[in-house]
Amino acid sequence: MQFPSLSNLNVWRVSATMTVWTFLLLTILLLKSDVAYCNYLVGLGSYDITGPAADVNMMGYANTEQIASGVHFRLRSRAFIVAEPKGNRLVFVNLDACMGAQLVTIKVLERLKARYGDVYTENNVAISGIHTHAGPGGYLQYVVYIVTSLGFVRQSFDALVDGIEKSIVQAHENLRPGSIFVNKGELLDAGVNRSPSAYLNNPAAERSKYKYNVDKEMSLLKFVDDEWGPSGSFNWFATHGTSMSRTNSLISGDNKGAAARFMEDWFERKSSVRKDSVGFEDDGLPRRISNIIPSLHDNHHELLELAASFQSPPGRPAAKTSSVARRVRGALRQVNKPRFVSAFCQSNCGDVSPNVLGAFCTDTGLPCDFNHSTCGGKNELCYGRGPGYPDEFESTRIIGERQFKKAVELFNGASEQIKGKVDFRHAYLDFSKLEVNVSSNGASKVVKTCPAAMGFGFAAGTTDGPGAFDFKQGDDQGNPFWKLVRNLLKTPDKEQIACQQPKPILLDTGEMKLPYDWAPTILPIQILRIGQFFILSVPGEFTTMAGRRLRDAVKTVLSGDKSLGSNIHVVIAGLTNTYSQYVTTYEEYEVQRYEVSCNFCGKRHEPCLDCSSKRK
């Protein structure tokens, strides 16, 4: 194939995403035809996935020194199943984990097949991560994601697979007739853009359509059992799981995991405590876990010594008839009522930070450089501050509380009922050699994608977790020393270098195969439909504007179907089924901030996907 000159790269630059989203939009046409409304079968489940809590590297910050040494709070897999009584069904799983993983998904599907045959397959099962950076690592199968954990960690992997399977089994066994309602609203104070200079490179006319440089909308599904009443909720909102810093050593679900605990506890206790007008206790949080890390009393150590002096009296095992559930609720039938499940899912969080106070230099206390997030030219000194600064546990609680309160508001006000068919589409695509047809100035041409590569800006990290060795975001040149180090691993050829422009290649991951693949090449793309609610399962982190472009493109296709009505809901479920890093716009790619240094972009005004850049 002939390749255009470097001078024409900006004209012809495209991404595999064009083909991906063409596939998505075409399959939507198949999803659009509606059927008469029928009642759904709805089931929810939840199970522990905490895994090893000590002596394992954490996944997210790529910090070799971040080794787990305890538990902040435990991690869970939360699942919902929606089924037509005599038709299709789908499963969505939300993990208190950094991301979904292809090997985890494969193993879960193998177990589901052994249990249920072909009822649950890769087509109708989605497994998504909340993107906490405080969970055990080592469960992905690609080298670049397990380098800092020094390889594969069987305990992390087994805990995820076991917990996901059990949460789905629980949801399956809880399937009962029910209804689903949807609501959405703005949450203004739980996320800021951590790469604002890149966002500003998007066209001004496009930016003018939006009030904010991050998405502020939360979308929530409310599940209602026909007999028991409300049984759970899942919501999608974009903010990173980085309230807990890169020096934290406690296993944690970060702000979204905290929000889920708050809401589940709120629902469990809301009818047995005195509440204010919006259903909160006096301090706005469930009493049992009003603070994930509680404020210490003045005599804290004295109380600990007193507690340690108590001797446990002999007792007897609790039987069903003497259980707390039986004694408190009174009615025996209530003992078997499924527990309320609430999940706070991730969306297009690529450039969204929960450290809402902004980024400041640790040496001077002044704001970091706007374009590169450096302090005196060094990225290591620039850190984002959460609302509880300098207490990261408090920041985690506050951002979790803000999401929790908005979710409760949406939950209580949800009145639009979901009606229509359950459907799904799924495909595997090889992103290293896709053919994409593009046009410019009336001319069209077929170009190809190329293998993945990571840029110098990747090593600089972000304001949520700076890198080391004086790398810098926005670097479009690289430096000779690190290129020499890179060449010891794999020297990219001229074709790959031209393909990745303007990104200077630090690691040619897509072409590194020893001891096995360093980065994914074949990725799953998936759409789930429940009536007028569509979930776009994507294997990466979309930036704010890339996510907006994707949702708008999908809504444009769906709006042609009058049977769907005017209230079409489209959410992006990020980090689902596997992981391929960031998804940005063409304009953001040109700036080479962190989010684009490990992915590629599409032609102007289109989204772009993952680390597999474009070969033309």
Side-chain angles (χ1 to χ4, degrees), residues 187 189-191 218 259 262 344 354 356 387 397-407:
L187 173 57
D189 54 359
M218 175 184 286
F262 291 158
F344 286 68
V356 295
R397 186 192 66 80
I398 292 172
I399 297 298
E401 176 188 352
R402 290 172 180 175
Q403 292 178 78
F404 153 65
K405 285 188 173 183
K406 174 54 65 172

mmCIF file with all atom_site columns, all heavy atoms in Angstrom, residues 187 189-191 218 259 262 344 354 356 387 397-407:
data_model
loop_
_atom_site.group_PDB
_atom_site.id
_atom_site.type_symbol
_atom_site.label_atom_id
_atom_site.label_alt_id
_atom_site.label_comp_id
_atom_site.label_asym_id
_atom_site.label_entity_id
_atom_site.label_seq_id
_atom_site.pdbx_PDB_ins_code
_atom_site.Cartn_x
_atom_site.Cartn_y
_atom_site.Cartn_z
_atom_site.occupancy
_atom_site.B_iso_or_equiv
_atom_site.pdbx_formal_charge
_atom_site.auth_seq_id
_atom_site.auth_comp_id
_atom_site.auth_asym_id
_atom_site.auth_atom_id
_atom_site.pdbx_PDB_model_num
ATOM 1   N N   . LEU A 1 187 ? -24.699 16.858 37.979 1.00 0.00 ? 187 LEU A N   1
ATOM 2   C CA  . LEU A 1 187 ? -23.902 16.859 39.204 1.00 0.00 ? 187 LEU A CA  1
ATOM 3   C C   . LEU A 1 187 ? -22.686 17.734 38.917 1.00 0.00 ? 187 LEU A C   1
ATOM 4   O O   . LEU A 1 187 ? -21.824 17.372 38.126 1.00 0.00 ? 187 LEU A O   1
ATOM 5   C CB  . LEU A 1 187 ? -23.487 15.434 39.564 1.00 0.00 ? 187 LEU A CB  1
ATOM 6   C CG  . LEU A 1 187 ? -22.499 15.272 40.728 1.00 0.00 ? 187 LEU A CG  1
ATOM 7   C CD1 . LEU A 1 187 ? -23.032 15.913 41.995 1.00 0.00 ? 187 LEU A CD1 1
ATOM 8   C CD2 . LEU A 1 187 ? -22.198 13.791 40.964 1.00 0.00 ? 187 LEU A CD2 1
ATOM 9   N N   . ASP A 1 189 ? -20.180 19.236 40.954 1.00 0.00 ? 189 ASP A N   1
ATOM 10  C CA  . ASP A 1 189 ? -18.977 19.414 41.761 1.00 0.00 ? 189 ASP A CA  1
ATOM 11  C C   . ASP A 1 189 ? -18.222 18.123 42.043 1.00 0.00 ? 189 ASP A C   1
ATOM 12  O O   . ASP A 1 189 ? -17.612 17.966 43.084 1.00 0.00 ? 189 ASP A O   1
ATOM 13  C CB  . ASP A 1 189 ? -19.331 20.092 43.084 1.00 0.00 ? 189 ASP A CB  1
ATOM 14  C CG  . ASP A 1 189 ? -20.438 19.360 43.847 1.00 0.00 ? 189 ASP A CG  1
ATOM 15  O OD1 . ASP A 1 189 ? -20.940 18.332 43.345 1.00 0.00 ? 189 ASP A OD1 1
ATOM 16  O OD2 . ASP A 1 189 ? -20.802 19.824 44.942 1.00 0.00 ? 189 ASP A OD2 1
ATOM 17  N N   . ALA A 1 190 ? -18.239 17.189 41.081 1.00 0.00 ? 190 ALA A N   1
ATOM 18  C CA  . ALA A 1 190 ? -17.551 15.909 41.304 1.00 0.00 ? 190 ALA A CA  1
ATOM 19  C C   . ALA A 1 190 ? -16.496 15.606 40.246 1.00 0.00 ? 190 ALA A C   1
ATOM 20  O O   . ALA A 1 190 ? -15.950 14.507 40.229 1.00 0.00 ? 190 ALA A O   1
ATOM 21  C CB  . ALA A 1 190 ? -18.574 14.768 41.357 1.00 0.00 ? 190 ALA A CB  1
ATOM 22  N N   . GLY A 1 191 ? -16.179 16.557 39.380 1.00 0.00 ? 191 GLY A N   1
ATOM 23  C CA  . GLY A 1 191 ? -15.165 16.316 38.367 1.00 0.00 ? 191 GLY A CA  1
ATOM 24  C C   . GLY A 1 191 ? -14.727 17.590 37.674 1.00 0.00 ? 191 GLY A C   1
ATOM 25  O O   . GLY A 1 191 ? -15.538 18.493 37.448 1.00 0.00 ? 191 GLY A O   1
ATOM 26  N N   . MET A 1 218 ? -25.481 12.742 35.146 1.00 0.00 ? 218 MET A N   1
ATOM 27  C CA  . MET A 1 218 ? -25.585 11.379 35.660 1.00 0.00 ? 218 MET A CA  1
ATOM 28  C C   . MET A 1 218 ? -26.877 10.773 35.128 1.00 0.00 ? 218 MET A C   1
ATOM 29  O O   . MET A 1 218 ? -27.932 11.398 35.191 1.00 0.00 ? 218 MET A O   1
ATOM 30  C CB  . MET A 1 218 ? -25.591 11.357 37.187 1.00 0.00 ? 218 MET A CB  1
ATOM 31  C CG  . MET A 1 218 ? -25.811 9.976  37.796 1.00 0.00 ? 218 MET A CG  1
ATOM 32  S SD  . MET A 1 218 ? -25.927 9.967  39.614 1.00 0.00 ? 218 MET A SD  1
ATOM 33  C CE  . MET A 1 218 ? -24.213 10.241 40.073 1.00 0.00 ? 218 MET A CE  1
ATOM 34  N N   . ALA A 1 259 ? -19.537 5.609  47.137 1.00 0.00 ? 259 ALA A N   1
ATOM 35  C CA  . ALA A 1 259 ? -20.902 6.030  46.825 1.00 0.00 ? 259 ALA A CA  1
ATOM 36  C C   . ALA A 1 259 ? -21.858 4.842  46.806 1.00 0.00 ? 259 ALA A C   1
ATOM 37  O O   . ALA A 1 259 ? -22.993 4.937  47.299 1.00 0.00 ? 259 ALA A O   1
ATOM 38  C CB  . ALA A 1 259 ? -20.914 6.739  45.470 1.00 0.00 ? 259 ALA A CB  1
ATOM 39  N N   . PHE A 1 262 ? -22.590 3.844  50.349 1.00 0.00 ? 262 PHE A N   1
ATOM 40  C CA  . PHE A 1 262 ? -23.480 4.832  50.961 1.00 0.00 ? 262 PHE A CA  1
ATOM 41  C C   . PHE A 1 262 ? -24.927 4.576  50.549 1.00 0.00 ? 262 PHE A C   1
ATOM 42  O O   . PHE A 1 262 ? -25.831 4.595  51.376 1.00 0.00 ? 262 PHE A O   1
ATOM 43  C CB  . PHE A 1 262 ? -23.083 6.245  50.535 1.00 0.00 ? 262 PHE A CB  1
ATOM 44  C CG  . PHE A 1 262 ? -21.765 6.719  51.092 1.00 0.00 ? 262 PHE A CG  1
ATOM 45  C CD1 . PHE A 1 262 ? -21.074 7.732  50.454 1.00 0.00 ? 262 PHE A CD1 1
ATOM 46  C CD2 . PHE A 1 262 ? -21.226 6.181  52.245 1.00 0.00 ? 262 PHE A CD2 1
ATOM 47  C CE1 . PHE A 1 262 ? -19.867 8.199  50.951 1.00 0.00 ? 262 PHE A CE1 1
ATOM 48  C CE2 . PHE A 1 262 ? -20.013 6.627  52.752 1.00 0.00 ? 262 PHE A CE2 1
ATOM 49  C CZ  . PHE A 1 262 ? -19.340 7.642  52.099 1.00 0.00 ? 262 PHE A CZ  1
ATOM 50  N N   . PHE A 1 344 ? -22.319 2.373  40.919 1.00 0.00 ? 344 PHE A N   1
ATOM 51  C CA  . PHE A 1 344 ? -21.932 3.660  40.361 1.00 0.00 ? 344 PHE A CA  1
ATOM 52  C C   . PHE A 1 344 ? -20.905 3.393  39.264 1.00 0.00 ? 344 PHE A C   1
ATOM 53  O O   . PHE A 1 344 ? -19.731 3.166  39.532 1.00 0.00 ? 344 PHE A O   1
ATOM 54  C CB  . PHE A 1 344 ? -21.374 4.568  41.460 1.00 0.00 ? 344 PHE A CB  1
ATOM 55  C CG  . PHE A 1 344 ? -22.457 5.110  42.365 1.00 0.00 ? 344 PHE A CG  1
ATOM 56  C CD1 . PHE A 1 344 ? -23.152 4.270  43.221 1.00 0.00 ? 344 PHE A CD1 1
ATOM 57  C CD2 . PHE A 1 344 ? -22.795 6.446  42.331 1.00 0.00 ? 344 PHE A CD2 1
ATOM 58  C CE1 . PHE A 1 344 ? -24.160 4.751  44.039 1.00 0.00 ? 344 PHE A CE1 1
ATOM 59  C CE2 . PHE A 1 344 ? -23.808 6.955  43.147 1.00 0.00 ? 344 PHE A CE2 1
ATOM 60  C CZ  . PHE A 1 344 ? -24.493 6.100  43.999 1.00 0.00 ? 344 PHE A CZ  1
ATOM 61  N N   . PRO A 1 354 ? -11.369 13.752 39.858 1.00 0.00 ? 354 PRO A N   1
ATOM 62  C CA  . PRO A 1 354 ? -12.162 14.083 41.037 1.00 0.00 ? 354 PRO A CA  1
ATOM 63  C C   . PRO A 1 354 ? -11.470 15.101 41.941 1.00 0.00 ? 354 PRO A C   1
ATOM 64  O O   . PRO A 1 354 ? -12.045 15.527 42.945 1.00 0.00 ? 354 PRO A O   1
ATOM 65  C CB  . PRO A 1 354 ? -12.295 12.730 41.743 1.00 0.00 ? 354 PRO A CB  1
ATOM 66  C CG  . PRO A 1 354 ? -10.997 12.052 41.443 1.00 0.00 ? 354 PRO A CG  1
ATOM 67  C CD  . PRO A 1 354 ? -10.657 12.470 40.026 1.00 0.00 ? 354 PRO A CD  1
ATOM 68  N N   . VAL A 1 356 ? -11.042 18.247 42.481 1.00 0.00 ? 356 VAL A N   1
ATOM 69  C CA  . VAL A 1 356 ? -11.775 19.397 41.954 1.00 0.00 ? 356 VAL A CA  1
ATOM 70  C C   . VAL A 1 356 ? -11.214 20.749 42.388 1.00 0.00 ? 356 VAL A C   1
ATOM 71  O O   . VAL A 1 356 ? -11.643 21.782 41.863 1.00 0.00 ? 356 VAL A O   1
ATOM 72  C CB  . VAL A 1 356 ? -13.264 19.298 42.337 1.00 0.00 ? 356 VAL A CB  1
ATOM 73  C CG1 . VAL A 1 356 ? -13.911 18.085 41.670 1.00 0.00 ? 356 VAL A CG1 1
ATOM 74  C CG2 . VAL A 1 356 ? -13.439 19.215 43.860 1.00 0.00 ? 356 VAL A CG2 1
ATOM 75  N N   . PRO A 1 387 ? -11.362 17.651 47.305 1.00 0.00 ? 387 PRO A N   1
ATOM 76  C CA  . PRO A 1 387 ? -12.092 18.589 48.178 1.00 0.00 ? 387 PRO A CA  1
ATOM 77  C C   . PRO A 1 387 ? -11.753 18.441 49.650 1.00 0.00 ? 387 PRO A C   1
ATOM 78  O O   . PRO A 1 387 ? -12.033 19.346 50.438 1.00 0.00 ? 387 PRO A O   1
ATOM 79  C CB  . PRO A 1 387 ? -13.551 18.246 47.904 1.00 0.00 ? 387 PRO A CB  1
ATOM 80  C CG  . PRO A 1 387 ? -13.531 16.827 47.415 1.00 0.00 ? 387 PRO A CG  1
ATOM 81  C CD  . PRO A 1 387 ? -12.258 16.705 46.637 1.00 0.00 ? 387 PRO A CD  1
ATOM 82  N N   . ARG A 1 397 ? -14.421 10.310 50.472 1.00 0.00 ? 397 ARG A N   1
ATOM 83  C CA  . ARG A 1 397 ? -15.762 10.348 51.066 1.00 0.00 ? 397 ARG A CA  1
ATOM 84  C C   . ARG A 1 397 ? -16.614 11.448 50.448 1.00 0.00 ? 397 ARG A C   1
ATOM 85  O O   . ARG A 1 397 ? -17.777 11.234 50.100 1.00 0.00 ? 397 ARG A O   1
ATOM 86  C CB  . ARG A 1 397 ? -15.670 10.561 52.572 1.00 0.00 ? 397 ARG A CB  1
ATOM 87  C CG  . ARG A 1 397 ? -17.025 10.461 53.285 1.00 0.00 ? 397 ARG A CG  1
ATOM 88  C CD  . ARG A 1 397 ? -16.950 10.965 54.718 1.00 0.00 ? 397 ARG A CD  1
ATOM 89  N NE  . ARG A 1 397 ? -16.678 12.395 54.767 1.00 0.00 ? 397 ARG A NE  1
ATOM 90  C CZ  . ARG A 1 397 ? -17.608 13.340 54.575 1.00 0.00 ? 397 ARG A CZ  1
ATOM 91  N NH1 . ARG A 1 397 ? -18.850 13.003 54.279 1.00 0.00 ? 397 ARG A NH1 1
ATOM 92  N NH2 . ARG A 1 397 ? -17.290 14.609 54.655 1.00 0.00 ? 397 ARG A NH2 1
ATOM 93  N N   . ILE A 1 398 ? -16.041 12.624 50.271 1.00 0.00 ? 398 ILE A N   1
ATOM 94  C CA  . ILE A 1 398 ? -16.813 13.769 49.774 1.00 0.00 ? 398 ILE A CA  1
ATOM 95  C C   . ILE A 1 398 ? -17.275 13.546 48.338 1.00 0.00 ? 398 ILE A C   1
ATOM 96  O O   . ILE A 1 398 ? -18.454 13.757 48.007 1.00 0.00 ? 398 ILE A O   1
ATOM 97  C CB  . ILE A 1 398 ? -15.988 15.063 49.880 1.00 0.00 ? 398 ILE A CB  1
ATOM 98  C CG1 . ILE A 1 398 ? -15.774 15.436 51.356 1.00 0.00 ? 398 ILE A CG1 1
ATOM 99  C CG2 . ILE A 1 398 ? -16.689 16.207 49.160 1.00 0.00 ? 398 ILE A CG2 1
ATOM 100 C CD1 . ILE A 1 398 ? -14.802 16.595 51.555 1.00 0.00 ? 398 ILE A CD1 1
ATOM 101 N N   . ILE A 1 399 ? -16.350 13.119 47.456 1.00 0.00 ? 399 ILE A N   1
ATOM 102 C CA  . ILE A 1 399 ? -16.743 12.885 46.068 1.00 0.00 ? 399 ILE A CA  1
ATOM 103 C C   . ILE A 1 399 ? -17.733 11.724 45.984 1.00 0.00 ? 399 ILE A C   1
ATOM 104 O O   . ILE A 1 399 ? -18.685 11.749 45.185 1.00 0.00 ? 399 ILE A O   1
ATOM 105 C CB  . ILE A 1 399 ? -15.512 12.611 45.184 1.00 0.00 ? 399 ILE A CB  1
ATOM 106 C CG1 . ILE A 1 399 ? -14.597 13.844 45.154 1.00 0.00 ? 399 ILE A CG1 1
ATOM 107 C CG2 . ILE A 1 399 ? -15.933 12.253 43.767 1.00 0.00 ? 399 ILE A CG2 1
ATOM 108 C CD1 . ILE A 1 399 ? -15.229 15.090 44.553 1.00 0.00 ? 399 ILE A CD1 1
ATOM 109 N N   . GLY A 1 400 ? -17.550 10.708 46.818 1.00 0.00 ? 400 GLY A N   1
ATOM 110 C CA  . GLY A 1 400 ? -18.521 9.622  46.877 1.00 0.00 ? 400 GLY A CA  1
ATOM 111 C C   . GLY A 1 400 ? -19.863 10.103 47.371 1.00 0.00 ? 400 GLY A C   1
ATOM 112 O O   . GLY A 1 400 ? -20.915 9.737  46.828 1.00 0.00 ? 400 GLY A O   1
ATOM 113 N N   . GLU A 1 401 ? -19.866 10.955 48.388 1.00 0.00 ? 401 GLU A N   1
ATOM 114 C CA  . GLU A 1 401 ? -21.115 11.488 48.939 1.00 0.00 ? 401 GLU A CA  1
ATOM 115 C C   . GLU A 1 401 ? -21.866 12.324 47.910 1.00 0.00 ? 401 GLU A C   1
ATOM 116 O O   . GLU A 1 401 ? -23.098 12.257 47.812 1.00 0.00 ? 401 GLU A O   1
ATOM 117 C CB  . GLU A 1 401 ? -20.804 12.332 50.171 1.00 0.00 ? 401 GLU A CB  1
ATOM 118 C CG  . GLU A 1 401 ? -22.020 13.010 50.780 1.00 0.00 ? 401 GLU A CG  1
ATOM 119 C CD  . GLU A 1 401 ? -21.641 13.978 51.884 1.00 0.00 ? 401 GLU A CD  1
ATOM 120 O OE1 . GLU A 1 401 ? -20.465 14.014 52.279 1.00 0.00 ? 401 GLU A OE1 1
ATOM 121 O OE2 . GLU A 1 401 ? -22.530 14.713 52.347 1.00 0.00 ? 401 GLU A OE2 1
ATOM 122 N N   . ARG A 1 402 ? -21.130 13.116 47.140 1.00 0.00 ? 402 ARG A N   1
ATOM 123 C CA  . ARG A 1 402 ? -21.786 13.958 46.139 1.00 0.00 ? 402 ARG A CA  1
ATOM 124 C C   . ARG A 1 402 ? -22.471 13.110 45.071 1.00 0.00 ? 402 ARG A C   1
ATOM 125 O O   . ARG A 1 402 ? -23.592 13.418 44.641 1.00 0.00 ? 402 ARG A O   1
ATOM 126 C CB  . ARG A 1 402 ? -20.760 14.909 45.517 1.00 0.00 ? 402 ARG A CB  1
ATOM 127 C CG  . ARG A 1 402 ? -20.300 15.984 46.494 1.00 0.00 ? 402 ARG A CG  1
ATOM 128 C CD  . ARG A 1 402 ? -19.145 16.824 45.947 1.00 0.00 ? 402 ARG A CD  1
ATOM 129 N NE  . ARG A 1 402 ? -18.744 17.844 46.933 1.00 0.00 ? 402 ARG A NE  1
ATOM 130 C CZ  . ARG A 1 402 ? -17.706 18.661 46.792 1.00 0.00 ? 402 ARG A CZ  1
ATOM 131 N NH1 . ARG A 1 402 ? -16.941 18.575 45.703 1.00 0.00 ? 402 ARG A NH1 1
ATOM 132 N NH2 . ARG A 1 402 ? -17.421 19.552 47.727 1.00 0.00 ? 402 ARG A NH2 1
ATOM 133 N N   . GLN A 1 403 ? -21.816 12.046 44.634 1.00 0.00 ? 403 GLN A N   1
ATOM 134 C CA  . GLN A 1 403 ? -22.448 11.146 43.668 1.00 0.00 ? 403 GLN A CA  1
ATOM 135 C C   . GLN A 1 403 ? -23.636 10.430 44.307 1.00 0.00 ? 403 GLN A C   1
ATOM 136 O O   . GLN A 1 403 ? -24.690 10.264 43.671 1.00 0.00 ? 403 GLN A O   1
ATOM 137 C CB  . GLN A 1 403 ? -21.425 10.137 43.144 1.00 0.00 ? 403 GLN A CB  1
ATOM 138 C CG  . GLN A 1 403 ? -20.338 10.767 42.287 1.00 0.00 ? 403 GLN A CG  1
ATOM 139 C CD  . GLN A 1 403 ? -19.303 9.765  41.826 1.00 0.00 ? 403 GLN A CD  1
ATOM 140 O OE1 . GLN A 1 403 ? -19.534 8.991  40.889 1.00 0.00 ? 403 GLN A OE1 1
ATOM 141 N NE2 . GLN A 1 403 ? -18.148 9.750  42.476 1.00 0.00 ? 403 GLN A NE2 1
ATOM 142 N N   . PHE A 1 404 ? -23.478 10.009 45.539 1.00 0.00 ? 404 PHE A N   1
ATOM 143 C CA  . PHE A 1 404 ? -24.548 9.322  46.267 1.00 0.00 ? 404 PHE A CA  1
ATOM 144 C C   . PHE A 1 404 ? -25.794 10.201 46.400 1.00 0.00 ? 404 PHE A C   1
ATOM 145 O O   . PHE A 1 404 ? -26.920 9.778  46.121 1.00 0.00 ? 404 PHE A O   1
ATOM 146 C CB  . PHE A 1 404 ? -24.003 8.895  47.641 1.00 0.00 ? 404 PHE A CB  1
ATOM 147 C CG  . PHE A 1 404 ? -25.030 8.767  48.728 1.00 0.00 ? 404 PHE A CG  1
ATOM 148 C CD1 . PHE A 1 404 ? -26.024 7.805  48.664 1.00 0.00 ? 404 PHE A CD1 1
ATOM 149 C CD2 . PHE A 1 404 ? -24.981 9.597  49.839 1.00 0.00 ? 404 PHE A CD2 1
ATOM 150 C CE1 . PHE A 1 404 ? -26.958 7.681  49.681 1.00 0.00 ? 404 PHE A CE1 1
ATOM 151 C CE2 . PHE A 1 404 ? -25.908 9.482  50.856 1.00 0.00 ? 404 PHE A CE2 1
ATOM 152 C CZ  . PHE A 1 404 ? -26.909 8.515  50.771 1.00 0.00 ? 404 PHE A CZ  1
ATOM 153 N N   . LYS A 1 405 ? -25.614 11.445 46.792 1.00 0.00 ? 405 LYS A N   1
ATOM 154 C CA  . LYS A 1 405 ? -26.761 12.337 46.983 1.00 0.00 ? 405 LYS A CA  1
ATOM 155 C C   . LYS A 1 405 ? -27.490 12.604 45.665 1.00 0.00 ? 405 LYS A C   1
ATOM 156 O O   . LYS A 1 405 ? -28.721 12.642 45.620 1.00 0.00 ? 405 LYS A O   1
ATOM 157 C CB  . LYS A 1 405 ? -26.303 13.648 47.615 1.00 0.00 ? 405 LYS A CB  1
ATOM 158 C CG  . LYS A 1 405 ? -25.976 13.533 49.100 1.00 0.00 ? 405 LYS A CG  1
ATOM 159 C CD  . LYS A 1 405 ? -25.723 14.897 49.715 1.00 0.00 ? 405 LYS A CD  1
ATOM 160 C CE  . LYS A 1 405 ? -25.578 14.793 51.225 1.00 0.00 ? 405 LYS A CE  1
ATOM 161 N NZ  . LYS A 1 405 ? -25.389 16.117 51.870 1.00 0.00 ? 405 LYS A NZ  1
ATOM 162 N N   . LYS A 1 406 ? -26.741 12.798 44.594 1.00 0.00 ? 406 LYS A N   1
ATOM 163 C CA  . LYS A 1 406 ? -27.381 12.990 43.292 1.00 0.00 ? 406 LYS A CA  1
ATOM 164 C C   . LYS A 1 406 ? -28.131 11.731 42.880 1.00 0.00 ? 406 LYS A C   1
ATOM 165 O O   . LYS A 1 406 ? -29.249 11.798 42.346 1.00 0.00 ? 406 LYS A O   1
ATOM 166 C CB  . LYS A 1 406 ? -26.338 13.370 42.239 1.00 0.00 ? 406 LYS A CB  1
ATOM 167 C CG  . LYS A 1 406 ? -26.862 13.453 40.809 1.00 0.00 ? 406 LYS A CG  1
ATOM 168 C CD  . LYS A 1 406 ? -28.061 14.387 40.657 1.00 0.00 ? 406 LYS A CD  1
ATOM 169 C CE  . LYS A 1 406 ? -27.728 15.827 40.936 1.00 0.00 ? 406 LYS A CE  1
ATOM 170 N NZ  . LYS A 1 406 ? -28.865 16.730 40.604 1.00 0.00 ? 406 LYS A NZ  1
ATOM 171 N N   . ALA A 1 407 ? -27.539 10.565 43.125 1.00 0.00 ? 407 ALA A N   1
ATOM 172 C CA  . ALA A 1 407 ? -28.199 9.305  42.771 1.00 0.00 ? 407 ALA A CA  1
ATOM 173 C C   . ALA A 1 407 ? -29.488 9.121  43.550 1.00 0.00 ? 407 ALA A C   1
ATOM 174 O O   . ALA A 1 407 ? -30.504 8.663  42.999 1.00 0.00 ? 407 ALA A O   1
ATOM 175 C CB  . ALA A 1 407 ? -27.251 8.127  43.017 1.00 0.00 ? 407 ALA A CB  1
#
